[in-house]
């Protein structure tokens, strides 16, 4: 009892408040996307907004349980939770239900659960556990390999379920690794790879290589002409040129047809107004329809009349955009940014490196989801169906994000009892 | 050192997160606030102007019987842009077309516009509409537009009522109102009273969902304009009399016109052969129109209004009036007859009757010799220095009775000619080479004279009114207002003084009582009339003109049966049956009625060559 009381005193109410505000707004958007003349009851458990209410209830219950649990539990059981999740990912491959081409759902009555959503949570735990070991140095290649293996296991299983979107989320752990000492070059390299990939698809390859060459030459002229510097610059030039030349191969032979289409549509090279491109087009129209102040709650024409596809799941951000306008999207994006900043701020004040690493993991995963999901609705990211945290309809993602956040809140409340 | 690295990295990570947020906000600001093309696309996406077609005014007869009403039909419309993955085979099956036709129609629609709906299949049948509506949700891009077509309660009065059809491109170009696909009056009163009957089209700004389904009015109808229904229209026609006239005239070619003398209202206008007006409605219109158009008996032609028939002996009434007005004929003036006109060596010929006759008797017996004398006396009056002058004088009188010019009837077309001109005779005989004896046959209603049954009936209205007429018209009232055109409520006087009518009326009364029309007299009704046997190539036309009752006349009528022979044979019984029907509502002479209805006077059908 004393323990519980002290927890309530020590939990971070900023994050809890942000959580409540976001799920409330999310639920309103789900209601708005369901709402029409026929379906206007505030509570109807047959419809998405009613079901989501049940999930929110379940989420709160779990959040409470997580807060009550011993703070040491998560660190101690991190690998076990990770292992159980891997087993679930394997089982779902065998007995799971196929939905829209992905073998990733457990069906329990009328509710569906997606273990991949929970895998993000348990992988974060496991990675935190692994990296928080004081004997481990991330500079060592062996450590890097272990860490990557830890990530690759769930990635592989999720890819086997044909759920590319969820697998891509694991790239976000690069921020965690970077924070824990991975060279910034990897981050730069990742960023450069994306830029080069896009440029190579858009611009003529020879031109691109000539441009790189000129830049490198300029650097060679400008920097101190030590052997090391010249060697690195030439190395960078060779790597970049190699990437440019291999882009076509990757694009045409590694990527699948639908992935190529997504990328082409995003780059504006292909007009696909029937399927994926149409979705994004309609999504942007809906958001544009909101103007500065929005159409008003439940008054969005595009969302109410089903012009926006998947409007309670992948494209739920359109409802914010259309009904609440720029003011609405400003508030939502700001709240997300405040939450991310808050998580990092709190992660940094942890005495336990496990808690810190875990916090960074939570922030990175949230960030990746926000970036890709919102980016997709405004044509800045390819159409990858991953949920917008706390907004998108669906129990699995809501429960998984709730668990992720509240475990972190619990760890933070526990920090004063941690000695090292 | 370690501390500083981690601090830097913390800020780098936060900076990356925040910059993505800022990029998003900048992009959103652009989409939502700066660039209005997305906003416009949204409007375009979900707003669709839906035309509200006004209901066309209904048409009633003079007693308030409904003649023409509207029947709902449905046009299948398509918005090509909205079409997505549809089962073409099933769809074609539903509306009964093949794939090729489907592609063709879709191509046409796309050519018109990809965004704006246009008709895909017009006027779906009730059955097609029913089955289609159940499945329409499966076919995004398609919707049905309710329209109305005309329906006719009776199968009568096709010529007078007229029809509607789709407006042609020439009209669309010149008119501000009409748009492609609108219906417009094509003939009859549908055409004359098009502006009144039509009403005014409205428009609704409707919201549609992604499947093109209508989801209600935008902003509670703020941008809607309601369609204004057309005015209802009451014709002066007596539907029962019209139908009766058509049944009497069945299997005969010709026309009947009946007018109420005290108002000029047309009571009936029969032209046979006729057709069921329902044939010229909707999808069957084009096919039936072609059939009717090429029918050798010309059923589309309104003989009662447009034909120029020689008036024959009925013209003697006008001659009697004109001659009196000219002061060359008195009621007691007598002329001899020797089975013909003696100065012409017995030509024109005449039938057997007592001789000489006075004016009343001459009308009753319809003496050709008498009216040849009369014509000559009018023409050879001393005051005229030449034939041209005297002809022009005669012509002026004739035109005052409505012959030879348009009366101004409220129907789209009307016969204008029918009375020859000086130029005509100058051309035929040469200048100064013609005189009264050259054109003597005009005096007995032959020669170049021509008049429609309506004009003949109008002359009867003049006689019934003793000297004036109202322009015949078919509309009694429009909307709630009584028909108030000054044109149709002004008395038009002839050149003949009222005093000269009485003796002519005496003669017409005698003609029915004891003269040429005696076989058709009706008990208790004083009918004044005049038979005519209009000579023309082939067998003569049977003509009768008259009015009844003699005092306070209610109906003036003209009947013409092509190639019916003597006026007394067909036209007279038909006319008197019409009068009897109109004045008493019953027929006391069923055997005559039966004979008329059963009578067939049609050209022998051409032998069919195999
Ligand atoms: Zn005679």
């Amino acid at each position: 009892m004393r323990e519980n009381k002290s927890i309530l005193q020590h939990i971070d109410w900023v994050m809890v408040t942000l959580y409540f505000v976001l799920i409330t707004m999310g639920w309103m958007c789900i209601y708005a996307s369901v709402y029409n003349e026929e379906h206007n009851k505030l509570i109807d458990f047959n419809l998405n907004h009613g079901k989501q209410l049940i999930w929110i209830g379940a989420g709160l219950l779990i959040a409470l349980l997580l807060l009550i649990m011993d703070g040491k539990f998560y660190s101690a059981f991190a690998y076990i939770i990770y292992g159980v999740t891997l087993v679930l990912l394997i089982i779902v491959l065998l007995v799971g239900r196929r939905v829209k081409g992905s073998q990733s759902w457990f069906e329990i009555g009328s509710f569906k659960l997606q273990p991949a959503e929970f895998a993000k949570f348990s992988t974060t735990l496991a990675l935190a556990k692994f990296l928080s070991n004081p004997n481990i140095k991330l500079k060592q290649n062996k450590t890097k390999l272990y860490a990557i293996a830890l990530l690759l296991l769930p990635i592989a299983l999720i890819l086997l379920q044909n759920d590319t979107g969820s697998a891509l989320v694991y790239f976000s752990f690069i921020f965690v690794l970077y924070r824990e000492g991975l060279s910034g070059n990897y981050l730069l390299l990742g960023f450069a790879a994306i830029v080069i990939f896009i440029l190579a698809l858009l611009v003529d390859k020879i031109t691109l290589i000539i441009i790189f060459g000129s830049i490198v030459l300029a650097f060679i002229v400008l920097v101190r002409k030590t052997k090391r510097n010249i060697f690195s610059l030439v190395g960078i030039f060779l790597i970049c040129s190699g990437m440019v030349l291999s882009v076509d191969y990757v694009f045409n032979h590694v990527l699948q047809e639908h992935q190529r289409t997504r990328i082409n549509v995003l780059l504006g090279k292909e007009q696909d107004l029937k399927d994926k491109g149409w979705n994004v087009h309609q999504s942007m129209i809906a958001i544009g329809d909101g103007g500065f102040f929005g159409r008003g709650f439940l008054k969005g024409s595009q969302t109410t009349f089903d012009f926006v596809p998947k409007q309670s799941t992948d494209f739920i951000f359109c409802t914010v955009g259309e009904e609440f306008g720029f003011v609405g999207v400003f508030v939502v994006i700001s709240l997300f940014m405040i939450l991310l900043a808050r998580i990092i701020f709190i992660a940094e004040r942890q005495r336990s490196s496990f808690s810190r690493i875990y916090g960074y993991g939570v922030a990175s995963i949230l960030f990746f989801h926000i970036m890709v999901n919102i980016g997709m609705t405004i044509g800045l990211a390819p159409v990858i169906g991953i949920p917008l945290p706390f907004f998108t309809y669906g129990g699995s993602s809501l429960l998984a994000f709730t668990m992720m956040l509240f475990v972190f809140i619990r760890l933070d409340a526990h920090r004063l009892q941690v000695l090292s | 050192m370690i501390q500083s690295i981690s601090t830097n990295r913390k800020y780098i990570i936060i900076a990356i997160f925040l910059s993505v947020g800022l990029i998003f906000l900048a992009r959103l600001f652009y989409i939502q606030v700066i660039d209005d093309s997305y906003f416009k696309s949204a409007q375009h996406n979900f707003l669709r102007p839906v035309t509200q077609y006004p209901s066309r005014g209904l048409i009633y007869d003079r007693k308030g019987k409904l003649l023409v009403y509207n029947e709902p039909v449905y046009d299948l419309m398509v918005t090509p842009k909205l079409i997505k993955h549809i089962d073409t085979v099933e769809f074609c099956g539903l509306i009964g077309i093949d794939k090729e036709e489907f592609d063709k129609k879709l191509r046409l629609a796309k050519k018109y516009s990809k965004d704006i709906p246009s008709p895909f299949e017009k006027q779906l049948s009730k059955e097609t509409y029913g089955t289609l509506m159940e499945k329409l949700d499966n076919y995004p891009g398609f919707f049905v537009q309710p329209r109305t077509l005309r329906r006719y309660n009776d199968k009568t009065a096709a010529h007078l009522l007229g029809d509607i059809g789709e407006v042609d491109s020439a009209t669309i170009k010149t008119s501000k109102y009409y748009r492609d696909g609108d219906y417009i009056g094509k003939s009859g009163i549908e055409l004359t009273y098009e502006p009144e009957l039509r009403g005014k089209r409205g428009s609704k700004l409707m919201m549609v969902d992604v499947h093109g389904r209508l989801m209600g009015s935008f902003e509670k109808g703020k941008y809607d304009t309601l369609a204004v229904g057309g005015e209802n229209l009451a014709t002066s026609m007596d539907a029962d009399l019209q139908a009766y006239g058509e049944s009497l005239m069945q299997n005969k070619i010709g026309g009947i016109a009946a007018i109420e003398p005290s108002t000029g209202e047309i009571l009936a206008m029969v032209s046979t052969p006729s057709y069921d007006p329902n044939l010229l409605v909707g999808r069957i219109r084009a096919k039936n129109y072609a059939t009717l158009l090429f029918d050798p008996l010309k059923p589309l032609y309104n003989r009662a209004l447009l034909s120029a028939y020689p008036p024959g002996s009925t013209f003697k009434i006008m001659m009697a009036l004109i001659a009196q007005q000219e002061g060359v004929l008195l009621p007691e003036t007598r002329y001899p007859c020797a089975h013909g006109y003696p100065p012409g060596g017995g030509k024109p010929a005449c039938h057997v009757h007592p001789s000489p006759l006075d004016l009343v008797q001459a009308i009753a017996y319809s003496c050709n010799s008498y009216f040849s004398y009369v014509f000559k006396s009018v023409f050879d009056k001393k005051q005229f220095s030449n034939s041209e002058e005297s002809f022009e004088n005669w012509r002026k009188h004739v035109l005052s009775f409505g012959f030879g010019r348009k009366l101004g009837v409220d129907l789209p077309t009307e016969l204008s000619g029918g009375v020859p001109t000086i130029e005509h005779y100058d051309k035929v005989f040469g200048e100064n080479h013609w005189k009264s004896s050259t054109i003597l046959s005009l005096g007995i209603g032959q020669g170049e004279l021509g008049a429609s049954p309506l004009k003949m009936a109008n002359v009867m209205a003049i006689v019934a009114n003793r000297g004036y007429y109202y322009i015949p018209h078919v509309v009694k009232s429009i909307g709630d207002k009584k028909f108030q055109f000054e044109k149709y409520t002004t008395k038009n006087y002839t050149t003949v003084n009222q005093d000269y009518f009485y003796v002519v009326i005496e003669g017409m009364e005698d003609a029915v009582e004891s003269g040429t029309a005696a076989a058709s007299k009706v008990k208790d009704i004083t009918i004044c009339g005049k038979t005519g046997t209009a000579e023309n190539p082939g067998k003569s036309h049977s003509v009768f003109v008259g009015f009844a009752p003699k005092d306070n006349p209610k109906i003036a009528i003209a009947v013409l049966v092509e190639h019916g022979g003597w006026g007394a044979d067909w036209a007279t019984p038909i006319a008197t049956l019409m009068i009897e029907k109109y004045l008493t509502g019953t027929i006391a002479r069923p055997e005559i009625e039966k004979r008329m209805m059963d009578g067939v006077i049609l050209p022998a059908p051409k032998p069919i060559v195999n």
Side-chain angles (χ1 to χ4, degrees):
Chain A
M1 208 51 218
R2 248 183 77 218
E3 165 84 359
N4 283 351
K5 200 176 173 189
S6 74
I7 279 172
L8 284 184
Q9 277 165 2
H10 293 122
I11 64 171
D12 182 58
W13 287 103
V14 176
M15 285 193 288
V16 174
T17 308
L18 285 168
Y19 170 80
F20 275 104
V21 172
L22 288 169
I23 54 165
T24 307
M25 293 177 83
W27 183 82
M28 281 168 71
C29 290
I30 294 171
Y31 177 61
S33 67
V34 171
Y35 177 86
N36 60 30
E37 300 278 291
E38 289 163 47
H39 302 136
N40 53 11
K41 272 195 291 180
L42 210 52
I43 293 173
D44 182 339
F45 292 116
N46 292 316
L47 294 168
N48 285 358
H49 65 287
K51 288 184 192 165
Q52 189 73 354
L53 218 49
I54 297 174
W55 287 119
I56 289 173
L60 294 180
L61 207 67
I62 288 170
L64 205 62
L65 280 171
L66 294 173
L67 290 178
I68 291 168
M69 299 258 278
D70 192 330
K72 282 177 285 204
F73 171 84
Y74 304 106
S75 168
F77 284 83
Y79 288 136
I80 293 170
I81 295 172
Y82 177 74
V84 168
T85 310
L86 290 185
V87 172
L88 284 176
L89 285 174
I90 293 166
I91 294 175
V92 83
L93 273 176
L94 304 174
V95 301
R97 194 179 133 78
R98 200 163 257 284
V99 176
K100 285 175 191 153
S102 297
Q103 177 93 8
S104 49
W105 301 86
F106 283 124
E107 209 171 25
I108 306 149
S110 65
F111 290 113
K112 286 183 299 213
L113 277 179
Q114 199 178 11
E117 291 295 334
F118 298 96
K120 296 164 197 166
F121 162 65
S122 45
T123 308
T124 314
L125 279 179
L127 190 70
K129 175 78 179 171
F130 174 68
L131 293 178
S132 63
N133 185 335
N135 302 323
I136 287 263
K137 289 280 170 293
L138 203 53
K139 287 254 154 63
Q140 296 170 331
N141 281 336
K142 201 177 79 179
T143 312
K144 282 180 201 158
L145 281 179
Y146 279 139
I148 287 170
L150 208 61
L151 300 178
L152 276 180
L153 272 173
I155 289 178
L157 290 170
I158 290 166
L159 280 176
L160 282 176
Q161 297 170 5
N162 203 13
D163 186 359
T164 326
S166 294
L168 285 173
V169 172
Y170 291 80
F171 276 111
S172 60
F173 284 113
I174 195 164
F175 291 115
V176 180
L177 298 173
Y178 170 68
R179 167 61 185 81
E180 294 308 313
L182 188 73
S183 163
N185 290 340
Y186 290 99
L187 210 58
L188 271 177
L189 197 69
F191 183 70
I194 294 171
V195 171
I196 289 170
F197 186 79
I198 291 170
L199 283 175
L201 288 175
L202 288 177
V203 186
D204 177 58
K205 285 166 199 61
I206 307 298
T207 319
L208 202 59
I209 290 171
I210 291 170
I211 292 171
F212 284 146
S214 323
I215 294 171
V216 167
L217 272 175
F219 268 97
I220 290 173
V221 173
L222 288 174
V223 298
R224 267 193 307 146
K225 290 173 191 63
T226 61
K227 234 182 206 167
R228 215 194 114 148
N229 276 353
I230 290 174
F231 189 74
S232 327
L233 281 167
V234 171
I236 289 171
F237 171 72
L238 289 177
I239 291 172
C240 289
S241 304
M243 278 173 76
V244 168
L245 294 172
S246 61
V247 158
D248 268 355
Y249 180 82
V250 173
F251 189 71
N252 291 322
H253 295 94
V254 178
L255 295 183
Q256 290 174 0
E257 176 64 39
H258 66 278
Q259 291 164 331
R260 278 198 290 276
T261 311
R262 282 177 202 180
I263 289 166
N264 275 339
V265 167
L266 182 69
L267 297 178
K269 285 175 78 178
E270 204 174 293
Q271 276 275 12
D272 178 19
L273 288 181
K274 276 243 164 69
D275 197 16
K276 292 281 174 344
W278 191 80
N279 290 359
V280 173
H281 186 66
Q282 292 300 330
S283 155
M284 287 169 71
I285 286 174
I287 290 171
D289 189 41
F292 193 82
F293 291 107
R295 289 260 157 205
F297 185 47
L298 304 181
K299 286 178 185 154
S301 60
Q302 307 299 301
T303 39
T304 307
F305 297 130
D306 302 335
F307 284 98
V308 179
K310 302 182 191 162
Q311 44 179 294
S312 58
T313 55
D314 293 356
F315 285 91
I316 191 150
F317 191 69
C318 295
T319 307
V320 182
E322 190 181 19
E323 303 201 341
F324 303 104
F326 183 72
V327 174
V329 299
F330 183 82
V331 168
V332 170
I333 289 179
S334 301
L335 287 176
F336 274 128
M337 291 300 139
I338 293 169
L339 180 65
L340 292 176
R342 181 75 188 167
I343 292 171
I344 286 175
F345 171 76
I346 290 189
E348 287 291 345
R349 79 180 182 193
Q350 301 303 314
R351 293 180 193 172
S352 129
S353 50
F354 172 80
S355 302
R356 180 185 68 237
I357 297 166
Y358 177 80
Y360 267 92
V362 173
S364 304
I365 288 174
L366 284 175
F367 168 73
F368 190 87
H369 275 266
I370 293 162
M371 179 180 75
V372 171
N373 182 284
I374 297 181
M376 167 180 87
T377 62
I378 56 180
L380 290 180
V383 180
I384 297 168
I386 60 171
L388 183 62
F390 313 121
F391 275 72
T392 292
Y393 165 72
S396 305
S397 75
L398 181 73
L399 291 186
F401 285 120
T402 303
M403 285 162 78
M404 249 185 242
L405 189 66
F406 276 88
V407 165
F408 183 58
I409 292 171
R410 178 69 189 89
L411 290 171
D412 173 53
H414 180 66
R415 73 181 189 277
L416 296 175
Q417 290 146 334
V418 179
L419 293 175
S420 98
Chain B
M1 184 62 193
I2 299 269
Q3 189 56 47
S4 84
I5 283 178
S6 65
T7 312
N8 283 343
R9 293 196 164 188
K10 173 178 88 177
Y11 289 129
I12 287 172
I13 290 171
I14 288 182
I16 292 173
F17 290 1
L18 290 185
S19 52
V20 166
L22 284 174
I23 290 169
F24 283 6
L25 284 176
R27 170 82 164 172
L28 283 160
F29 191 77
Y30 178 76
I31 293 176
Q32 297 190 292
V33 183
I34 294 172
D35 185 354
D36 64 351
S37 69
Y38 294 101
F39 180 78
K40 282 182 184 152
S41 297
Q43 303 282 306
H44 189 77
N45 249 351
F46 90 110
L47 291 181
R48 187 202 296 149
V50 175
T51 305
Q52 302 289 297
Y53 287 99
S55 63
R56 203 172 167 85
L58 306 177
I59 301 179
Y60 297 90
D61 90 333
R62 65 186 290 115
K63 295 181 207 152
K65 183 181 172 191
L66 182 63
L67 300 176
V68 187
Y69 61 97
N70 299 313
E71 184 185 63
V73 289
Y74 301 90
D75 285 356
L76 180 63
M77 309 289 283
V78 66
T79 315
K81 199 189 80 175
L82 295 176
I83 296 177
K84 272 183 276 184
H85 323 293
I86 65 164
D87 182 347
T88 320
V89 178
E90 191 196 39
F91 188 75
C92 288
L94 278 177
I95 56 174
I97 57 171
D98 57 24
K99 178 81 171 63
E100 203 176 307
E101 222 177 327
F102 177 90
D103 292 338
K104 196 178 130 202
K105 282 167 183 283
L106 196 57
R107 241 192 340 271
L108 278 174
K110 277 181 182 160
K111 208 175 143 195
Y112 175 71
S113 167
K114 284 190 173 170
D115 304 325
I116 305 166
S118 57
F120 185 82
E121 178 82 355
K122 285 176 186 169
Q123 297 158 20
L124 301 175
S125 70
K126 270 184 202 141
E127 299 75 38
T128 310
Y129 173 69
T131 47
L132 189 65
M133 278 315 278
E134 288 170 19
K135 298 193 172 170
L136 205 59
D137 281 357
N138 300 344
Y139 304 107
F142 289 92
F143 69 100
V144 283
Q145 166 91 58
R147 300 294 303 269
T148 55
L149 287 180
R150 291 303 233 186
R151 276 290 157 198
Y152 304 86
N153 261 330
D154 297 342
K155 292 174 180 175
T156 60
H159 301 101
L160 188 141
L161 296 172
D163 63 342
I164 60 169
E166 266 186 36
V167 65
D168 56 42
S169 52
T171 312
I172 295 171
K173 267 182 207 146
T174 54
S175 140
K176 276 188 190 146
Y177 178 82
Y178 294 99
R179 290 199 312 227
D180 201 28
D182 278 346
Y183 289 118
I184 189 172
K186 291 277 182 188
S187 65
I189 53 179
E190 296 276 19
L191 173 52
T192 325
Y193 292 98
E194 165 69 15
E196 289 83 3
L197 287 168
R198 177 184 76 197
K200 197 161 172 289
R201 192 177 42 227
S203 172
K204 264 188 175 174
L205 199 54
M206 299 291 279
M207 300 185 287
V208 294
D209 72 359
V210 68
H211 307 295
R213 286 179 297 218
L214 296 182
M215 305 303 285
S217 243
F218 180 55
E219 299 209 341
K220 292 173 186 157
K222 201 166 135 193
Y223 302 98
D224 296 0
T225 50
L226 287 176
V228 181
E231 301 270 24
N232 290 345
L233 196 147
T235 67
S236 58
M237 192 179 89
D238 182 310
D240 298 331
L241 187 66
Q242 174 77 22
Y244 187 62
E246 289 188 21
S247 60
L248 290 171
M249 287 294 286
Q250 68 193 358
N251 296 316
K252 299 162 201 75
I253 301 170
I256 303 177
I259 299 172
E260 184 178 65
S262 59
T263 57
E265 288 171 2
I266 295 172
L267 299 171
M269 189 188 273
V270 177
S271 173
T272 50
S274 186
Y275 58 93
D276 179 353
N278 291 304
L279 289 176
L280 293 190
V281 169
R283 285 152 74 106
I284 56 171
R285 183 177 194 274
K287 191 179 124 256
N288 287 333
Y289 188 82
T291 312
L292 292 170
L293 192 62
F294 293 114
D295 187 323
L297 297 181
K298 294 189 180 169
L300 289 173
Y301 185 59
N302 186 352
R303 290 171 164 82
L305 183 66
L306 302 172
S307 265
Y309 291 117
S313 302
T314 63
F315 189 69
K316 289 167 184 165
I317 291 162
M318 275 160 74
M319 276 317 301
L321 290 165
I322 293 166
Q324 288 185 82
Q325 181 69 30
E326 286 294 323
V328 294
L329 179 66
L330 293 169
E332 50 277 13
T333 305
R334 285 171 177 268
Y335 289 114
C337 174
H339 306 309
Y341 176 53
K347 286 206 168 168
C350 195
H351 53 98
V352 184
H353 60 78
S355 171
L357 303 170
D358 66 10
L359 179 54
V360 170
Q361 291 165 329
I363 292 172
Y365 286 115
S366 192
C367 179
N368 287 341
S369 172
Y370 191 96
F371 283 96
S372 299
Y373 280 112
V374 169
F375 182 76
K376 191 173 172 356
S377 66
V378 171
F379 212 81
D380 296 348
K381 250 179 90 177
K382 290 212 176 65
Q383 69 185 85
F384 303 120
S385 53
N386 57 36
S387 296
E388 278 82 0
E389 238 176 74
S390 51
F391 181 79
E392 203 46 49
N393 178 58
W394 171 83
R395 197 171 186 276
K396 176 197 79 198
H397 287 299
V398 175
L399 259 64
S400 79
F401 281 84
F403 276 30
R405 63 180 169 88
K406 288 189 175 180
L407 284 171
V409 181
D410 53 349
L411 286 170
T413 47
E414 205 187 329
L415 175 67
S416 59
V419 178
T421 57
I422 294 171
E423 292 73 32
H424 172 77
Y425 288 121
D426 280 350
K427 219 171 107 188
V428 175
F429 302 110
E431 239 172 283
N432 299 320
H433 281 83
W434 52 281
K435 52 187 184 182
S436 62
S437 57
T438 325
I439 56 172
L440 195 64
S441 59
L442 289 178
I444 55 169
Q446 297 293 151
E448 287 87 346
L449 271 181
S452 64
L454 183 73
K455 286 185 178 180
M456 299 184 198
N458 187 47
V459 171
M460 284 304 104
I462 293 168
V463 178
N465 289 334
R466 279 77 169 165
Y468 65 87
Y469 68 94
Y470 296 99
I471 294 173
H473 52 278
V474 289
V475 167
K476 209 172 158 60
S477 65
I478 296 173
D480 301 327
K481 298 173 292 268
K482 183 143 171 42
F483 198 55
Q484 281 294 355
F485 281 124
E486 211 185 314
K487 185 180 170 188
Y488 299 117
T489 50
T490 309
K491 286 179 184 174
N492 296 274
Y493 284 92
T494 63
T495 49
V496 177
N497 194 292
Q498 182 185 344
D499 301 335
Y500 300 122
F501 281 86
Y502 297 98
V503 62
V504 172
I505 292 169
E506 289 299 312
M508 290 169 67
E509 186 185 353
D510 282 4
V512 178
E513 203 53 42
S514 57
T516 50
S520 292
K521 67 181 171 185
V522 183
K523 198 168 168 274
D524 297 335
I525 302 174
T526 322
I527 299 174
C528 303
K530 178 77 195 75
T531 59
T533 305
E535 285 173 24
N536 66 98
K539 199 179 176 188
S540 299
H541 297 330
S542 173
V543 196
F544 179 88
V545 297
F547 64 89
K550 182 185 174 190
D551 300 314
N552 196 14
K554 293 278 183 256
I555 178 170
I557 193 167
V559 177
L560 189 141
V561 180
E562 285 187 24
H563 310 295
W566 297 107
D569 289 352
W570 295 100
T572 310
I574 287 173
T576 56
L577 284 167
M578 289 284 283
I579 290 170
E580 189 180 357
K581 178 83 174 175
Y582 182 66
L583 295 180
T584 68
T586 53
I587 294 297
R589 305 170 293 158
E591 69 293 338
I592 295 180
E593 182 187 58
K594 186 173 185 309
R595 184 153 56 81
M596 290 302 117
M597 286 189 179
D598 293 348
V600 177
I601 311 168
L602 291 173
K606 294 203 177 86
I608 299 162
V609 184
N610 281 326

